[in-house]
Amino acid sequence: MISFLLDGTEHRLEQLDPNTTVLDYLRENLGLTGTKEGCASGDCGACTVVVTYPQGDALSYLAINACITLLATLDGCQLLTVESLARDGQLHRVQQAMVDCHASQCGFCTPGFVMSMFAYRKSNRHFNAHAIETALGGNLCRCTGYRPIVDAAVKMYEPDASDSFSKGTLATLRALEGLRAEPSTPSCAADGRNFLAPSSASALADALAANPGARLIAGGTDLALEITQQLKQFSTLISTARAPELQKVEQSADTLSIGAAVTYEDCAEILCTHWPDLDELLRRLGAQQIRNRGTLGGNIGNASPIGDFPPVLIALDARVELQSKTGRRQVAMADFFTGYRQTALGAGEFIRTIHIPLPHSDDWFQVYKVSKRLEDDISAVCGAFRLRYRAGTVEDVGIAYGGMAAVPQRATQTEAALRGRPLSQAAITDAMNALDRDFTPIEDFRASADYRQRVARNLLQRLLLVHQQGDGRQLRVSQYRAGSPHA
Amino acid sequence: MRKLPDTRPAHSLISGRAGSATRHESAHKHVSGDALYVDDIPEPAGMLYGYVGLSSIAHATLKQMNLDAVRTAPGVMDVVTAKDLPALTDIGPVFPGDHLLAEGKVNFHGQVLFAVAATSQDAARRAARLADVKYEAQQADLTLESALAQEHFVRPTHTQRRGDADTAIATAPNRLSGHFKIGGQEQMYLEGQIALSIPGEDGSMLVHSSTQHPAETQKLVAEVLGLPMSLVTVTVRRMGGAFGGKETNANQWACLSALLARRTGRPVKLRLARADDMTTTGKRHPFHSDYEVGFDDEGRILGLNLKLSGNCGHSPDLSDAIVDRAMFHADNCYFLPAARIIGNRVKTHTASNTAFRGFGGPQGMLAIEQIIENIAQATGQDALDIRQRNFYGPDGRNVTHYGQTIEQHIIAPLVARLTKTSEYRQRREAVRAFNSENAILKRGLALTPVKFGISFTVQHLNQAGALLHVYTDGSIQLNHGGTEMGQGLYTKVAQVVASEFGVDLSSITCTATRTDKVPNTSPTAASSGSDLNGMAARDAARKIRQRLTEFAAEKFAVPAESIQFANDHVSLGAQRITFAELVQQAYLGRISLSATGYYRTPKIHYDRANASGRPFFYYAYGAACSEVLIDTLTGENRVLRVDICQDVGQSLNPVLDIGQIEGGFIQGMGWLTTEELVWNEQGRLLTNNPASYKIPTIGDTPPVFNVELMPDSPNTEATIFHSKAVGEPPLMLGISVWAALRDAVASIGEHRTAPLLDAPATPERILAACDQVRAARGERQ
C-alpha cells in the first residue's frame, strides 16, 4: 500500500504501477490539469508541485518535478498542487503577487513558478535575491524575461503573516503521523510490476538479493527519464529512501559520513561548512527541484561521466561503503568508476555510505564548474582541487575532473607535477602539460574536446591566481549577480 | 427571451481603457491553474491519442515500411501512411514541399512517416516506436556551407540593389570583407505542439489547435480531409507560447489528428513529446553573412555588398519571406548609399526552418551590426560613434536600399536619450579602467539600435476581422482573428473596445479565436496582432456605437454630436443613462447589437521584381545598452546591466508592452549566447530537449535591468490609438549583449583586433575569440 495526502485527502493505492509519475497521476487519473507537462524530463519546471513532510513539529515544503517523481515514492507525504493554493475563492499571496506584478504571459510555466515560489516562501522567512534565483533556477519561462517574477517573489512577502497552510500545519502533521504510523512497509504492484521500500539496510540487501533484476531508486531524477523518454517499464523498483542507515549524516573526528540516500539539499549545509567552495557548486548542481530529490548515492551510482559530485569526492579522497547480503566493503571513490556507466558495484550490492576525510587546517579546496549556462546545466568541465599547502610546498594534492573522460577521473600525473613543489607558475605550467597526458577529453554537444582541454588547463592557471590573490571569488563571473557582493 | 435581464451595474470609475496599465485578461487563471490549454480540455468520451513515427535518417528513399508491429501493438486502433491520404498530401503553406506523411522519400531526420491512434498517449507513443523501416540512404546535405557551395536552394535567390556598390567599395578609402556565422534558435514554447479533433455531423470537424494561424489550419484540415472549409472549425483560446513556432508548424498535428478522427470516428488528441517536437519542427534559420564594405576614415559606410544565406531546411515553408525580411533589415538604422543585398534560400536535409519572432530580421540586423563592429576596430573608434554617424537622417540620407523613405526620424534622439540615461560614456571609461586593472575578467559595453519594419511583406495578409456582440444586459462579447499566445492581445483589443464604448473592461469577454466567428484571418504574426485586430475591433465597435447614437438621438431628441459614451454611461443632453439601459432600449427599438469589423493596412506596396516600394506601414525603433563580464580563461560570462529605450508609439498598455520588451530582449540574448543547436554528422539534432538546449534562466536576467518606453512618441501613422507594434522588435535588442561580449574580448587587444565571434557566443566561442585576439596581440608585440 502507498498512502499520501493530496491537500487534506488521503489517497491509498495498492494497485499502482510503480512506473506511474506524479504528473500522469494528477493529470490523467485525477483530472487535475493545473500542473503542466513542459518536457517530462525535469528540465523546465512547468510541472512543479510541492511535497510536505514532518520535520519536528513543523512541515518541510519541498518543490519537486512531478514529471520525474514516481508516485510510489510519495508514500507518507502530503502533495500540494497549484490547485491547492487558492482558498475560498481567494488567491494565495504568492499567486496574487504574480498577478499584481504581471509575471505571467502565456501562463504555461506559471503554475510551476507559483509552486516553487510557494515552497520558498514557506521555507524562508525573508526574501533574498540570490537565494530566490537559486530556488527558481529550475523553472523556465520563455515569455517574461523573469524580471516581473523576481518582483513577485519580493511582493509575496507582503504582508508577512501566516497563511491557511500555517494554520493547517497541526492537522496536516496529525494526518501524516497517522499515515506513517501504519506498520506495513510501503509497496505496491500492478500488472506484475512491483515497488518495494525496505525499511533497513539489511532488508534492502535481502530485497536486492531476492530480486536480481530490480533497479534501485533513490530520488529517481535520472532513472525516471528512462520511463518518460525511453518508455521503459521497470518490473521491480527498490527504493533506498526508507532505510535509516542510508539517511544518516555522521561526523567523527576525521571523517564526514553521508548516507547514500541523503539528498543534496539535506547535506549541502554540512558540506559547505567544511568545504565552503562547494556552496556555488551545490547551487548550480541541477535545480532546486532536483536537489530536493537527488541523492549523493544516486549521483555516484548512475556513473554518469558528467555528474558534478564524483570529481569532488575523488579529489577529497572519499571512500564509498558498499553493502550486500554478504557484508560491507569500502572502495576508494577514485576506483569506483570502472568504465562508461560502469562501477565497482557487484550483483546485489548498493551504496550505503560515502565517507569523506575532513580537511586539515592547511587544506585548501576549490571546485570550478564550467557550463554553457550558469544555472541548471550540465558541466562541460568540472574540476576539483584539494591542496595541502605546508611550509611553502604542496604536501598533498587531489585533483579530479568531470567531463574530461568516459568517467569522472583523477588527474594523477597532474597531481604528481605539483606534489612537493611550491605553487609557482613553473609548477602550474608543468601541471598543465601533465594534464594533457592525463586526459583525452570527450567531445559532444556541450563542448569540443579542444575546449575541454583548454579550460581544464586554464582552471589550473586560475588555481594559481586564486592562491596568489587570497579571495578568489572576485575572479569568477558567477559571483557577479543579483544579491552578490560583487554585482 | 420574454423578460429582459437585469442590466449590469455601472462603475463609478471605469478601468481598462486603451493606454492603461491593465493586467493580462487571464493572469488570475494562469496563477491558479484554471487557464485551459488544449491538453487540459476535459477529454471527450471515446477519445483516442494520436502519435507519429519519425524517420531515423536524414535523406533516403523509403524502401519498405513494415508497420505490422505497430498495428498489433496494445491499444492501437488505427495506423495511417501517405498512401491512405484521401485528398491533399502536401501541406506546404505557400509553396509545396511539406508532406503530411513521407511519400517514398525522407528529407530530414525526424520526418513524420506515419501516424497511429491508440487508447492512451503511452500506448500510442510505444506503438509508434515499433515500425520496421528500410531506407536506402542518399547523400545528405547537412551543412549550410556544403549546400550553398552546390547552390542547392529551396527558392530562387533574390537581390536588392541601390547604386553601384562595387564601384563605391572599390573607390572607398577603407575596405573590409569577411564571413560571419549566425546560429538558429529553437522556439521552445513551453506548451508543445498539440491538436484535438472532434468529428461531427455531415463529416464536419472541430479542431482545438495550438495554432497562430487558425484559418490556415482550417484550410489545410479541410483540404487533407477533402471537405469544404465550411465543414471545418478551428478554435484556439490560448497557446502556451508560440513565438512563430506555431505559425505553420501547428498545421501538421491538426491535420493528422483530424485524419485519425475521421477514420476512427472518434475524437483524437495528438500531442508531441518534447524531444520529438524539437526534432521534427522548424526553428529560426541559421544564416551566413559574406560581406564586403567600403567606408570613409570616420567609419561612414560608402558601399556594401552583402550576401545573406539562410539555411531553410528541406522545404520552402515561409523561407522566401523570411530571407526577404533578413534583406529588408540588413540596413538596420544605417543609410547605405550603395548596396547590393543578395538573399540565398539554401536547402539542406534538416527540418524545415520556419517563423521565429523577428522572422529573418534579427539575422539581417546582426549581419550589419557585425560589420559596424569591424569598422569600429578598423578605424579605432567607439562602435557607438560609428553607429550614430551612419544613422539615417533627413536630406538625402532617408531612403532605404529598397526605396522606402524614412519619415519618422526617431532613432537618433532615442539613442541620444539612452546614451545619457545609461551613462554610456562614463561607463565606457569605467569599463576601460576595470579592464586595465584585471587580467582575467574583462568587461564589455555596447549600445545597439533597432529599426524594425511593421507589416507583413506579403501584402494580402495585412487585413483583419472582428465580431462584436452587445447583449441586453450591457455585457459585450468580443471575438477577432488574432490569437492569444501570452502577448496580451486579447487584453489590448478588449481595451480598445472598452474605450470605444466608454465601458469598464470587465464588461467585455474575449472568446476563443474561432474560424466560424471570424473567417479568412491572417496569422497572428509579424507583430501585427494589435495593429490589425485592434483596428478591426474598433471598426465593429464604432458601427454599433453609431447605431446606438442614431437610435438615442431620435429617441431622446438630442443632437447625435452631443451624445457621449463614458464611465459606463451615455450622456444624452441633460439626461444620463447607463450604457446597459441604452442597450435595452435599442433592443426594444429593434436595433442590431452585433457587428463585424474589418481593417486593411493602407499605403503599403512592394514591387518585388524591382525590389522597391513601401513594404512597411511604419518602423518601430528601440535601443539597448548592455554591460557584460567575461572570464578570459573559460569564456564564461554574465550580463551585469541592461538599459533599454523602446519606441512603442502611444502605448496601448504599458505593462504588457514592457513585458514584451523584457521578454523579447532575454529571448534575443539567449539566441546569441547560450542557445546552441547541435546536429551530429548524420543530421540528428542532439540538442533536442531543455537538458541540452539552454534557454536563459532567472539567473541570466541582468541584476540591473532598466526599461523605458520612449516618451511623447505617438505613431505618426493612423494606427490604433497611435500605438506601435511591440512583439518582435525588442528581440533584436539582445544584439547589444553579443556586441558587449565582443567588446570585452576586443579589450584584450586594446580594441585593435576585430574578434571573430560567431553567434551564439557560447563560452567556447568566447574563449576561442580571446585566444585569437591574444595571438594577434602577441604578433604585434
Side-chain angles (χ1 to χ4, degrees):
Chain A
M1 171 110 78
I2 299 294
S3 38
F4 64 96
L5 295 179
L6 177 61
D7 304 333
T9 308
E10 274 185 27
H11 285 241
R12 292 165 179 275
L13 304 167
E14 266 178 83
Q15 303 280 305
L16 172 70
D17 184 329
N19 297 284
T20 307
T21 64
V22 174
L23 181 65
D24 283 349
Y25 189 74
L26 288 171
R27 292 185 61 87
E28 292 174 14
N29 294 53
L30 302 180
L32 290 172
T33 57
T35 307
K36 309 301 181 195
E37 177 181 320
C39 68
S41 59
D43 296 304
C44 80
C47 66
T48 303
V49 294
V50 169
V51 291
T52 81
Y53 62 89
Q55 192 151 53
D57 56 0
L59 284 170
S60 264
Y61 288 77
L62 293 182
I64 62 165
N65 290 311
C67 70
I68 53 166
T69 301
L70 300 185
L71 186 65
T73 65
L74 292 194
D75 184 77
C77 292
Q78 182 193 32
L79 173 62
L80 300 172
T81 71
V82 71
E83 288 95 343
S84 312
L85 298 200
R87 295 281 162 94
D88 306 323
Q90 283 281 100
L91 294 178
H92 188 271
R93 71 173 64 111
V94 173
Q95 296 170 311
Q96 191 60 49
M98 289 287 279
V99 171
D100 293 344
C101 294
H102 309 284
S104 68
Q105 285 184 26
C106 86
F108 202 81
C109 71
T110 311
F113 269 99
V114 164
M115 295 313 283
S116 283
M117 290 165 68
F118 170 70
Y120 181 86
R121 176 70 180 80
K122 297 302 290 177
S123 314
N124 295 274
R125 289 198 57 78
H126 302 288
F127 174 81
N128 173 307
H130 193 173
I132 199 77
E133 285 190 359
T134 302
L136 299 180
N139 289 85
L140 296 179
C141 169
R142 192 52 152 167
C143 296
T144 64
Y146 303 101
R147 195 272 314 158
I149 297 174
V150 176
D151 285 0
V154 176
K155 189 157 181 158
M156 71 181 175
Y157 277 89
E158 316 159 359
D160 184 23
S162 63
D163 60 8
S164 63
F165 292 88
S166 316
K167 290 166 195 147
T169 300
L170 215 56
T172 303
L173 281 170
R174 278 205 199 103
L176 288 177
E177 271 165 34
L179 288 185
R180 290 175 168 231
E182 285 165 19
S184 70
T185 52
S187 67
C188 63
D191 302 329
R193 294 189 279 268
N194 308 298
F195 176 87
L196 305 168
S199 54
S200 70
S202 64
L204 184 58
D206 291 345
L208 264 182
N211 298 279
R215 279 285 291 272
L216 281 174
I217 176 166
T221 55
D222 204 46
L223 177 128
L225 299 184
E226 296 181 38
I227 298 171
T228 65
Q229 305 300 309
Q230 295 162 35
L231 308 185
K232 270 197 192 156
Q233 287 173 311
F234 294 105
S235 56
T236 306
L237 287 172
I238 302 179
S239 167
T240 61
R242 282 303 175 95
E245 298 91 335
L246 275 66
Q247 292 285 356
K248 272 195 290 199
V249 178
E250 287 177 320
Q251 192 176 319
S252 69
D254 60 356
T255 305
L256 175 67
S257 299
I258 298 175
V262 176
T263 64
Y264 282 105
E265 190 59 22
D266 285 343
C267 63
E269 196 177 327
I270 192 157
L271 284 168
C272 294
T273 308
H274 295 299
W275 300 278
D277 209 46
L278 283 176
D279 179 62
E280 182 185 320
L281 184 74
L282 284 165
R283 287 173 186 279
R284 291 175 56 192
L285 192 151
Q288 187 67 58
Q289 294 93 322
I290 301 295
R291 294 186 294 270
N292 285 342
R293 296 280 300 169
T295 64
L296 224 48
N299 198 204
I300 298 167
N302 74 21
S304 159
I306 34 94
D308 279 333
F309 232 69
V312 170
L313 295 172
I314 294 171
L316 291 177
D317 273 341
R319 284 162 291 123
V320 202
E321 184 176 338
L322 312 179
Q323 182 172 348
S324 70
K325 221 178 155 181
T326 56
R328 299 195 225 163
R329 63 178 179 128
Q330 292 200 5
V331 178
M333 194 64 232
D335 300 328
F336 181 75
F337 302 109
T338 55
Y340 178 72
R341 295 256 174 199
Q342 287 179 336
T343 71
L345 278 171
E349 220 169 17
F350 61 89
I351 303 170
R352 176 186 166 107
T353 310
I354 295 100
H355 301 287
I356 315 171
L358 289 173
H360 286 228
S361 56
D362 299 323
D363 279 5
W364 185 52
F365 176 77
Q366 295 275 292
V367 58
Y368 308 118
K369 171 172 177 155
V370 179
S371 54
K372 229 180 256 180
R373 187 175 74 187
L374 195 75
E375 254 114 11
D376 192 9
D377 197 359
I378 288 163
S379 303
V381 176
C382 181
F385 308 87
R386 174 184 58 84
L387 287 99
R388 186 161 305 157
Y389 202 67
R390 252 184 219 158
T393 56
V394 177
E395 189 183 290
D396 188 22
V397 56
I399 296 177
Y401 283 91
M404 292 290 287
V407 292
Q409 193 174 300
R410 188 156 200 151
T412 49
Q413 301 191 63
T414 310
E415 289 175 355
L418 293 176
R419 198 171 285 121
R421 296 175 68 182
L423 203 55
S424 62
Q425 184 62 55
I428 287 292
T429 304
D430 287 347
M432 288 164 78
N433 292 333
L435 188 84
D436 292 345
R437 298 191 294 276
D438 273 325
F439 295 106
T440 308
I442 56 173
E443 173 139 348
D444 63 12
F445 58 83
R446 292 196 177 90
S448 68
D450 281 351
Y451 176 73
R452 287 188 156 105
Q453 193 75 15
R454 185 99 174 80
V455 166
R457 289 173 62 111
N458 284 351
L459 292 183
L460 288 165
Q461 187 64 51
R462 175 188 309 278
L463 199 66
L464 177 67
L465 289 165
V466 174
H467 173 71
Q468 291 166 343
Q469 295 194 6
D471 178 14
R473 277 175 302 173
Q474 76 275 11
L475 269 178
R476 295 185 187 197
V477 294
S478 53
Q479 293 295 321
Y480 293 76
R481 52 189 298 187
S484 79
H486 301 292
Chain B
M1 189 191 302
R2 301 288 172 83
K3 181 171 163 285
L4 287 171
D6 292 338
T7 58
R8 295 170 50 80
H11 296 78
S12 55
L13 198 63
I14 61 163
S15 67
R17 291 177 63 88
S20 67
T22 301
R23 68 167 180 75
H24 193 285
E25 44 85 20
S26 286
H28 59 297
K29 292 180 278 187
H30 294 152
V31 300
S32 57
D34 291 340
L36 296 183
Y37 302 80
V38 174
D39 201 30
D40 304 334
I41 296 170
E43 297 179 348
M47 192 185 82
L48 299 174
Y49 300 79
Y51 213 75
V52 288
L54 306 181
S55 74
S56 56
I57 193 164
H59 188 207
T61 307
L62 269 177
K63 298 302 285 181
Q64 199 197 352
M65 200 155 62
N66 182 344
L67 300 179
D68 291 349
V70 181
R71 286 199 176 85
T72 55
V76 169
M77 306 299 284
D78 191 25
V79 178
V80 59
T81 66
K83 66 178 188 328
D84 305 315
L85 295 175
L88 184 76
T89 60
D90 188 325
I91 58 166
V94 187
F95 306 101
D98 296 304
H99 297 278
L100 180 59
L101 296 166
E103 292 178 67
K105 270 197 76 177
V106 165
N107 287 315
F108 68 102
H109 182 282
Q111 185 171 353
V112 179
L113 304 178
F114 63 92
V116 52
T119 49
S120 73
Q121 172 83 357
D122 189 57
R125 277 183 79 191
R126 270 176 210 290
R129 294 187 181 195
L130 300 175
D132 177 15
V133 184
K134 299 269 188 290
Y135 304 95
E136 187 175 293
Q138 294 184 17
Q139 178 69 35
D141 270 339
L142 295 171
T143 67
L144 222 170
E145 285 90 342
S146 76
L148 182 60
Q150 299 168 75
E151 301 195 341
H152 288 173
F153 299 134
V154 294
R155 295 285 305 153
T157 296
H158 182 54
T159 304
Q160 297 170 336
R161 249 187 218 94
R162 176 222 201 93
D164 180 356
D166 290 338
T167 306
I169 295 166
T171 57
N174 308 284
R175 282 179 294 280
L176 281 175
S177 63
H179 177 67
F180 176 56
K181 296 179 189 173
I182 300 168
Q185 186 179 23
E186 159 64 36
Q187 290 86 359
M188 196 64 219
Y189 28 69
L190 264 287
E191 178 210 30
Q193 300 281 355
I194 185 167
L196 162 61
S197 295
I198 305 170
E201 293 179 14
D202 302 323
S204 69
M205 194 64 69
L206 171 65
V207 184
H208 295 271
S209 168
S210 186
T211 175
Q212 287 173 255
H213 197 349
E216 187 171 80
T217 305
Q218 174 204 20
K219 169 180 166 285
L220 288 169
V221 167
E223 289 178 341
V224 164
L225 297 183
L227 293 175
M229 286 170 72
S230 59
L231 280 178
V232 176
T233 301
V234 173
T235 176
V236 51
R237 171 59 181 86
R238 62 172 65 77
M239 286 169 273
F243 313 110
K246 295 171 181 173
E247 184 173 345
T248 62
N249 277 206
N251 295 330
Q252 190 168 12
W253 327 111
C255 290
L256 288 173
S257 71
L259 183 66
L260 291 166
R262 156 61 73 80
R263 287 165 58 92
T264 59
R266 292 163 70 168
V268 174
K269 180 158 76 179
L270 198 164
R271 173 172 70 84
L272 292 185
R274 180 61 62 178
D276 290 334
D277 187 317
M278 288 177 74
T279 297
T280 192
T281 63
K283 301 159 202 333
R284 186 188 298 289
H285 293 53
F287 264 73
H288 284 187
S289 150
D290 291 279
Y291 65 90
E292 229 190 323
V293 63
F295 50 97
D296 67 17
D297 293 337
E298 293 189 294
R300 257 180 228 98
I301 294 172
L302 302 173
L304 174 68
N305 266 333
L306 177 62
K307 188 170 78 179
L308 292 169
S309 305
N311 181 346
C312 304
H314 75 94
S315 76
D317 184 69
L318 301 171
S319 293
D320 232 11
I322 288 167
V323 177
D324 274 1
R325 187 167 277 269
M327 298 165 72
F328 282 127
H329 289 80
D331 58 340
N332 194 9
C333 299
Y334 312 121
F335 176 62
L336 305 175
R340 181 169 66 237
I341 316 291
I342 298 173
N344 290 320
R345 289 94 166 117
V346 180
K347 174 178 177 167
T348 59
H349 292 107
T350 58
S352 189
N353 287 319
T354 189
F356 189 164
R357 203 175 195 172
F359 204 72
Q363 295 96 315
M365 209 176 281
L366 182 61
I368 189 74
E369 291 301 338
Q370 194 257 0
I371 292 167
I372 292 276
E373 291 279 328
N374 285 326
I375 294 174
Q377 270 94 60
T379 58
Q381 297 176 76
D382 192 298
L384 177 58
D385 295 327
I386 304 292
R387 291 188 164 99
Q388 288 180 307
R389 217 161 275 154
N390 278 288
F391 280 162
Y392 282 108
D395 308 330
R397 291 179 58 84
N398 61 347
V399 179
T400 66
H401 59 285
Y402 48 88
Q404 176 154 357
T405 302
I406 307 287
E407 291 168 358
Q408 255 190 309
H409 290 284
I410 292 173
I411 197 58
L414 189 150
V415 165
R417 182 183 178 88
L418 184 67
T419 306
K420 200 183 257 179
T421 56
S422 68
E423 303 178 292
Y424 178 87
R425 301 288 174 185
Q426 299 91 308
R427 284 164 66 205
R428 171 58 70 196
E429 289 313 308
V431 165
R432 214 185 300 277
F434 178 93
N435 288 343
S436 69
E437 288 162 14
N438 289 273
I440 303 303
L441 300 190
K442 298 286 182 186
R443 290 192 185 223
L445 184 68
L447 194 159
T448 61
V450 170
K451 164 181 128 290
F452 195 75
I454 303 302
S455 292
F456 287 99
T457 56
V458 176
Q459 194 176 351
H460 72 262
L461 295 177
N462 295 288
Q463 58 176 322
L467 176 65
L468 199 60
H469 303 316
V470 178
Y471 295 95
T472 51
D473 63 352
S475 66
I476 298 167
Q477 199 182 77
L478 165 64
N479 195 279
H480 53 77
T483 55
E484 177 63 43
M485 58 193 98
Q487 79 279 46
L489 177 63
Y490 280 18
T491 314
K492 280 186 172 180
V493 179
Q495 285 178 271
V496 168
V497 173
S499 295
E500 289 301 322
F501 287 123
V503 298
D504 191 89
L505 193 63
S506 64
S507 306
I508 298 166
T509 300
C510 264
T511 54
T513 309
R514 282 177 68 111
T515 56
D516 58 357
K517 286 202 170 177
V518 178
N520 311 323
T521 55
S522 295
T524 308
S527 307
S528 68
S530 44
D531 276 15
L532 297 179
N533 295 290
M535 289 297 259
R538 186 176 77 171
D539 180 47
R542 286 189 171 175
K543 282 181 188 166
I544 296 175
R545 195 179 68 183
Q546 181 62 26
R547 290 178 207 153
L548 289 171
T549 302
E550 284 167 12
F551 167 75
E554 192 181 319
K555 177 160 177 82
F556 296 95
V558 288
E561 314 79 68
S562 71
I563 296 175
Q564 304 272 329
F565 290 74
N567 291 323
D568 275 335
H569 285 77
V570 184
S571 304
L572 308 153
Q575 274 201 71
R576 189 164 174 267
I577 62 172
T578 65
F579 176 75
E581 281 165 353
L582 176 61
V583 166
Q584 287 200 346
Q585 294 285 339
Y587 166 73
L588 295 172
R590 297 191 297 168
I591 300 298
S592 164
L593 295 169
S594 174
T596 60
Y598 183 76
Y599 175 71
R600 61 173 162 256
T601 311
K603 295 188 180 179
I604 48 175
H605 57 89
Y606 185 64
D607 171 7
R608 193 161 185 271
N610 292 306
S612 179
R614 177 183 179 162
F616 303 118
F617 189 27
Y618 64 89
Y619 295 98
Y621 293 90
C625 176
S626 292
E627 183 173 343
V628 303
L629 182 73
I630 66 165
D631 181 334
T632 59
L633 289 176
T634 60
E636 293 165 289
N637 56 84
R638 303 302 288 152
V639 179
L640 301 177
R641 172 174 167 181
V642 173
D643 295 79
I644 290 171
C645 184
Q646 181 70 28
D647 157 41
V648 298
Q650 193 160 285
S651 175
L652 277 177
N653 183 327
V655 292
L656 294 181
D657 283 351
I658 285 172
Q660 288 299 297
I661 295 164
E662 291 174 338
F665 170 84
I666 295 291
Q667 209 171 62
M669 177 185 89
W671 168 48
L672 297 173
T673 56
T674 55
E675 294 185 39
E676 186 179 29
L677 292 161
V678 184
W679 289 263
N680 72 5
E681 286 177 2
Q682 287 74 47
R684 182 166 75 85
L685 180 68
L686 299 175
T687 48
N688 65 355
N689 58 46
S692 50
Y693 184 76
K694 309 311 279 187
I695 71 167
T697 64
I698 196 162
D700 298 313
T701 298
V704 182
F705 196 4
N706 301 313
V707 176
E708 184 192 39
L709 303 180
M710 182 73 173
D712 309 317
S713 183
N715 197 340
T716 51
E717 297 297 344
T719 52
I720 187 77
F721 290 95
H722 296 280
S723 63
K724 281 194 178 182
V726 71
E728 293 165 292
L731 182 122
M732 284 147 276
L733 299 170
I735 293 173
S736 64
V737 173
W738 173 85
L741 290 167
R742 193 180 173 286
D743 181 67
V745 175
S747 75
I748 300 171
E750 293 84 38
H751 293 90
R752 287 162 63 191
T753 304
L756 302 171
L757 186 62
D758 288 341
T762 57
E764 178 161 352
R765 288 204 182 85
I766 291 170
L767 182 62
C770 288
D771 288 345
Q772 169 232 335
V773 173
R774 272 191 283 250
R777 186 184 60 183
E779 280 167 26
R780 276 205 305 274
Q781 289 161 356

